[in-house]
Amino acid sequence: MPRVSAEHLANRRRQILDAAANCFARNGFHRTSMQDIVRESGLSAGLIYRYFTGKDDMILAIVDEWHTTRAAGLEAAGDPLDGYLDLLRAIAAPEADRQRKLSMQAWAETVREPRIRALARQGVDEQAAAFGATVPDAAIRVLVAIYQGLLLQAAWDDELDVEAFVAAVRSTAVTLTGRAPRTEASDVTKEP
Amino acid sequence: MPRVSAEHLANRRRQILDAAANCFARNGFHRTSMQDIVRESGLSAGLIYRYFTGKDDMILAIVDEWHTTRAAGLEAAGDPLDGYLDLLRAIAAPEADRQRKLSMQAWAETVREPRIRALARQGVDEQAAAFGATVPDAAIRVLVAIYQGLLLQAAWDDELDVEAFVAAVRSTAVTLTGRAPRTEASDVTKEP
Amino acid sequence: MPRVSAEHLANRRRQILDAAANCFARNGFHRTSMQDIVRESGLSAGLIYRYFTGKDDMILAIVDEWHTTRAAGLEAAGDPLDGYLDLLRAIAAPEADRQRKLSMQAWAETVREPRIRALARQGVDEQAAAFGATVPDAAIRVLVAIYQGLLLQAAWDDELDVEAFVAAVRSTAVTLTGRAPRTEASDVTKEP
Amino acid sequence: MPRVSAEHLANRRRQILDAAANCFARNGFHRTSMQDIVRESGLSAGLIYRYFTGKDDMILAIVDEWHTTRAAGLEAAGDPLDGYLDLLRAIAAPEADRQRKLSMQAWAETVREPRIRALARQGVDEQAAAFGATVPDAAIRVLVAIYQGLLLQAAWDDELDVEAFVAAVRSTAVTLTGRAPRTEASDVTKEP
DNA sequence: GATGAATGAGGATTCATTCAT
DNA sequence: GATGAATGAATCCTCATTCAT
């Protein structure tokens, strides 16, 4: 089955990364064996090593991908405050369950893996950049902290009242940043 | 009548837990082997198993101990808001380095270990209880989130401007809780 | 009627064998992976398996080829003693580096591969045959031993004084075989 | 079973090294799996790694031990020429079968393992030192070569006429070294 | 009580070989 | 013919845990 399309390669990579992310979210990086990933992906052990040099490489790829995704999301949002509040809702949404668990694992890895720590710090810096120089650094860091803490709390508690949380943040955020969010109304609206 | 005093037993336990905490903070739970802890503690493998049933047991003991310590600190503080702000400064202090790393590890474990997850949630609830029923739940959760995020950011960045961060939080906290902290002045004061 | 010429096939075989020999000499048979040979040859894995049934087959082919080459050289030389001394110089020459390393690998394989052991023994016998029945078997075996030992020593020591070695052997060989080499002078002459 | 005597440790090491040497001689270094050694030794995998860092470490230990043994034997012999001839007989004896096979394996390793190559060269140098400065270097190297070649030939041929070989070497050796061996008679004597 | 030697299952990774394209 | 993606058994090694001394 040689001479395979670039698309095929990309799909395979996706398939592996997806399987790995599922396993990692379920059991953590270190409780996940390569065999688990092999099983989950439906591929063979050998093939996986043609795409990644090892487990650490896969971890880094997953963290990196998430970093990129989030940065893109941030940039896409017009207003930084709106973008931030959207980010809050997104990370607390039920669909983000896997991502929350992965983030928690990644944070634990920052202790021993400089590249992951670098990405983590970069994430904070990029949020700061999104707000621009007018907002004080400390204020931004508080907002990022809120995001991080929300991620944890949503991971631990399915029934967390996200809208109330976000509403509480909004007033705070306005004070901290000196900016006003797009619309008050939209925030209050619950999902149908 | 035991051969050795209860105090001796407690000291041994302390010694083991301390060695384990050092290793865990340095390399994470899963990159730490029991042999590492044996070495660090200066005790023998067999002895350690007379105090703990295994590695998971030690992890739980460490997390539990920290939970208790923090809860005690919270209770000791007279005013809940003052207590909270002190907690922020404490967790961001250089001396708390080991604790920050341990917390990050513990958070990662919440994914797979219900007892650790339970402790994590309990931590949030206790903070809420400290503030009492007058402060809305969402507001308290935001404050806890800030604490959690600060822990992460301080772990990643030695040069984080903690006082500026705390100052930013205070104004926010006043809004959120409808309370005023004891003294404004004390917060601004840098350590000598 | 084959699609490709017999010459083409022979060239391919040569190409593969050369690549394999390079790898084997560099890292030994067992530290060389098929992938290494694939890389070195510039061909594909699948193609290599159309020429050889596997790694062992290639090892055998290389050993066999060397055996044939040496036997031919021996036959080409007119006088057996001259031929022998030429062989000594040849195996100790810098250009023979790869061959020395391959021979050492082959010798190690004689332990577990009867066909290679058979070739090794045959090499000794052929040398005996070259000298003819007049020279005692033990004497010939001593000469062969010297050849073998020189191969090793030249492999381990770039600066081995080959001419002095050969000179020492010549006097010995004359005694052992009861024959005189062609010319004393030629042996002393260094390469320009 | 803690606090074990130094003797116990030495015996264990011996046990492992013996098992490994058996396996290595039987199948070569690289066809021998650690599991083979585990089986042959009757110990567990984990224990073996308390004595050796890995397979390479065991190989080196075996080569090193042989090097030491042979050097000691050389020193023990009074007359260097007698010592040398004894060495020849010893390496060609049926009991030396395992050692011959190990040496052949070790020689193959000289290609990729500098420490083994160093030991190999050292072996040649020590033989030279045993003869002293009076005998020309080239002559000694020829004698060493004969030893090496005899090792190979005895490994390949059970029925090699060792006494005839040694007898042929003796006359040669006398010429080469300008020395006379202790007794002619003893050399001719066959083992009963 | 205390030790640390011993276990052996489990983990990550490699690699000879095949075969669909 | 030629390719190289895919396989999966086999390998080396680690490590939590036990238990004889």
Side-chain angles (χ1 to χ4, degrees):
Chain A
M1 199 192 297
R3 195 146 296 167
V4 137
S5 68
E7 189 192 346
H8 176 83
L9 259 53
N11 287 344
R12 274 279 194 258
R13 204 184 137 88
R14 214 0 349 101
Q15 188 178 0
I16 295 168
L17 240 29
D18 249 17
N22 288 340
C23 294
F24 291 157
R26 192 157 48 235
N27 294 111
F29 292 147
H30 301 289
R31 295 272 175 176
T32 296
S33 71
M34 285 305 273
Q35 222 25 251
D36 291 337
I37 298 172
V38 166
R39 240 186 321 267
E40 176 93 14
S41 69
L43 301 174
S44 66
L47 191 57
I48 289 178
Y49 281 89
R50 284 178 67 87
Y51 288 82
F52 298 95
T53 64
K55 200 155 65 155
D56 283 355
D57 192 26
M58 296 179 41
I59 293 175
L60 191 59
I62 287 173
V63 174
D64 197 17
E65 194 172 46
W66 167 240
H67 177 83
T68 306
T69 302
R70 199 185 37 185
L74 214 57
E75 197 145 339
D79 182 67
L81 185 47
D82 286 333
Y84 171 75
L85 292 173
D86 286 348
L87 215 57
L88 282 194
R89 279 194 205 85
I91 201 60
E95 310 86 68
D97 181 53
R98 193 180 84 171
Q99 186 51 53
R100 285 192 291 267
K101 286 171 176 164
L102 288 173
S103 291
M104 289 159 75
Q105 298 298 318
W107 292 344
E109 288 303 285
T110 58
V111 163
R112 59 165 208 93
E113 176 53 78
R115 286 172 302 180
I116 295 186
R117 188 163 56 245
L119 284 174
R121 294 185 58 160
Q122 213 176 316
V124 181
D125 293 343
E126 283 167 2
Q127 182 63 263
F131 274 106
T134 57
V135 181
D137 195 60
I140 291 168
R141 285 179 166 276
V142 172
L143 291 179
V144 172
I146 290 172
Y147 167 85
Q148 292 164 332
L150 172 58
L151 187 155
L152 287 172
Q153 294 182 40
W156 298 333
D157 183 1
D158 291 341
E159 298 170 1
L160 178 75
D161 185 344
V162 180
E163 283 310 321
F165 189 101
V166 173
V169 174
R170 191 183 29 233
S171 58
T172 286
V174 171
T175 313
L176 282 169
T177 63
R179 288 158 156 279
R182 206 169 22 199
T183 37
E184 296 254 337
S186 78
D187 299 331
V188 178
T189 309
K190 290 264 165 72
E191 307 166 60
Chain B
M1 194 171 71
R3 294 280 188 84
V4 296
S5 67
E7 189 192 347
H8 178 79
L9 288 172
N11 286 344
R12 276 275 197 262
R13 207 183 136 87
R14 194 48 302 118
Q15 188 179 359
I16 295 168
L17 241 29
D18 245 21
N22 287 340
C23 293
F24 290 157
R26 205 182 303 123
N27 294 113
F29 291 149
H30 300 288
R31 295 270 174 178
T32 296
S33 71
M34 285 304 271
Q35 210 39 239
D36 290 337
I37 298 172
V38 166
R39 241 189 318 270
E40 177 94 13
S41 70
L43 301 175
S44 68
L47 192 56
I48 288 178
Y49 277 88
R50 292 182 62 81
Y51 287 83
F52 298 94
T53 65
K55 199 155 67 155
D56 283 354
D57 191 26
M58 296 179 42
I59 293 175
L60 191 60
I62 286 173
V63 174
D64 198 16
E65 193 173 46
W66 168 240
H67 178 82
T68 306
T69 302
R70 200 185 38 185
L74 215 56
E75 197 145 340
D79 181 67
L81 185 48
D82 286 333
Y84 170 75
L85 292 173
D86 287 348
L87 215 56
L88 283 194
R89 281 194 203 84
I91 201 60
E95 309 84 68
D97 181 54
R98 193 180 84 170
Q99 186 50 55
R100 284 192 292 266
K101 286 171 176 164
L102 288 173
S103 292
M104 289 159 74
Q105 299 298 318
W107 291 345
E109 288 303 285
T110 59
V111 162
R112 59 165 208 93
E113 175 54 80
R115 286 173 299 179
I116 295 186
R117 188 164 55 246
L119 284 173
R121 293 184 59 159
Q122 214 177 315
V124 181
D125 293 344
E126 284 166 2
Q127 182 64 263
F131 274 105
T134 57
V135 181
D137 194 60
I140 291 168
R141 285 180 168 275
V142 172
L143 292 179
V144 172
I146 291 172
Y147 167 84
Q148 292 163 331
L150 173 58
L151 187 153
L152 287 173
Q153 293 182 40
W156 298 334
D157 183 2
D158 291 341
E159 297 171 1
L160 179 76
D161 186 344
V162 180
E163 283 309 321
F165 189 101
V166 174
V169 174
R170 190 181 30 230
S171 59
T172 286
V174 171
T175 313
L176 283 168
T177 63
R179 289 159 156 276
R182 203 173 23 201
T183 35
E184 296 253 338
S186 78
D187 298 333
V188 179
T189 309
K190 291 265 165 72
E191 307 167 60
Chain C
M1 195 172 71
R3 294 280 188 84
V4 297
S5 67
E7 189 192 347
H8 178 79
L9 287 171
N11 286 344
R12 276 274 198 263
R13 206 184 135 88
R14 199 37 312 115
Q15 188 179 358
I16 295 168
L17 241 30
D18 246 20
N22 288 339
C23 293
F24 291 158
R26 205 182 304 123
N27 294 112
F29 291 148
H30 300 289
R31 296 269 174 177
T32 296
S33 70
M34 285 303 271
Q35 209 40 239
D36 291 337
I37 298 172
V38 166
R39 238 187 323 267
E40 176 95 13
S41 70
L43 300 175
S44 68
L47 191 56
I48 288 178
Y49 277 87
R50 292 181 62 80
Y51 287 82
F52 297 94
T53 65
K55 198 154 70 155
D56 283 355
D57 191 27
M58 297 180 40
I59 293 175
L60 192 59
I62 286 173
V63 175
D64 198 17
E65 191 173 47
W66 168 240
H67 177 83
T68 306
T69 303
R70 198 184 41 183
L74 214 58
E75 198 145 338
D79 181 68
L81 185 47
D82 286 333
Y84 170 75
L85 292 173
D86 286 350
L87 215 56
L88 283 195
R89 279 195 205 84
I91 201 60
E95 309 85 67
D97 182 54
R98 193 181 84 170
Q99 186 51 53
R100 284 192 292 266
K101 285 171 177 165
L102 288 172
S103 291
M104 289 159 74
Q105 298 298 317
W107 291 344
E109 288 303 284
T110 59
V111 162
R112 59 164 208 94
E113 176 53 79
R115 287 172 300 179
I116 295 186
R117 187 162 59 244
L119 283 174
R121 293 185 58 160
Q122 212 177 317
V124 181
D125 294 343
E126 284 166 1
Q127 181 64 262
F131 276 104
T134 57
V135 181
D137 194 61
I140 290 168
R141 285 179 166 277
V142 172
L143 291 179
V144 172
I146 290 171
Y147 167 83
Q148 293 163 331
L150 173 58
L151 187 154
L152 287 173
Q153 293 182 40
W156 297 333
D157 183 0
D158 291 341
E159 297 170 2
L160 179 75
D161 186 343
V162 180
E163 283 310 320
F165 188 102
V166 173
V169 174
R170 190 179 34 230
S171 59
T172 286
V174 171
T175 315
L176 283 168
T177 63
R179 286 159 158 278
R182 204 170 26 198
T183 36
E184 296 252 336
S186 76
D187 299 334
V188 179
T189 309
K190 292 264 166 74
E191 307 167 59
Chain D
M1 198 193 296
R3 195 146 296 166
V4 136
S5 68
E7 189 192 347
H8 176 83
L9 258 53
N11 287 343
R12 275 279 193 258
R13 203 185 139 89
R14 212 5 342 102
Q15 188 179 0
I16 295 168
L17 240 30
D18 249 19
N22 288 340
C23 294
F24 290 157
R26 192 157 48 234
N27 294 112
F29 292 148
H30 301 289
R31 296 271 176 177
T32 296
S33 72
M34 286 306 274
Q35 223 21 256
D36 291 337
I37 298 172
V38 165
R39 240 187 320 269
E40 175 93 14
S41 70
L43 300 174
S44 67
L47 191 57
I48 289 179
Y49 281 88
R50 285 177 67 87
Y51 287 83
F52 298 96
T53 62
K55 200 155 66 155
D56 283 355
D57 191 28
M58 297 180 42
I59 293 175
L60 191 60
I62 287 174
V63 175
D64 198 16
E65 193 172 46
W66 167 241
H67 177 83
T68 305
T69 303
R70 198 185 41 185
L74 214 58
E75 197 146 339
D79 182 68
L81 185 47
D82 286 332
Y84 171 75
L85 293 172
D86 287 349
L87 215 56
L88 282 194
R89 280 195 204 84
I91 200 61
E95 309 86 66
D97 181 54
R98 193 181 84 170
Q99 185 51 54
R100 285 193 291 268
K101 286 170 176 165
L102 288 173
S103 291
M104 289 159 74
Q105 297 298 318
W107 292 344
E109 287 304 284
T110 59
V111 163
R112 59 164 207 94
E113 176 52 78
R115 285 172 303 179
I116 296 187
R117 187 163 58 244
L119 284 174
R121 294 185 58 160
Q122 213 177 316
V124 181
D125 293 343
E126 283 166 2
Q127 182 62 263
F131 275 105
T134 57
V135 180
D137 194 61
I140 290 168
R141 285 179 166 276
V142 171
L143 291 179
V144 172
I146 291 172
Y147 166 85
Q148 293 164 332
L150 173 58
L151 188 153
L152 287 172
Q153 293 181 41
W156 297 333
D157 183 0
D158 290 341
E159 298 169 2
L160 178 74
D161 186 343
V162 179
E163 283 309 321
F165 188 101
V166 173
V169 174
R170 189 179 35 230
S171 57
T172 286
V174 171
T175 315
L176 282 170
T177 62
R179 287 158 157 279
R182 206 168 25 196
T183 35
E184 296 252 336
S186 76
D187 298 333
V188 178
T189 311
K190 291 263 165 75
E191 306 166 60

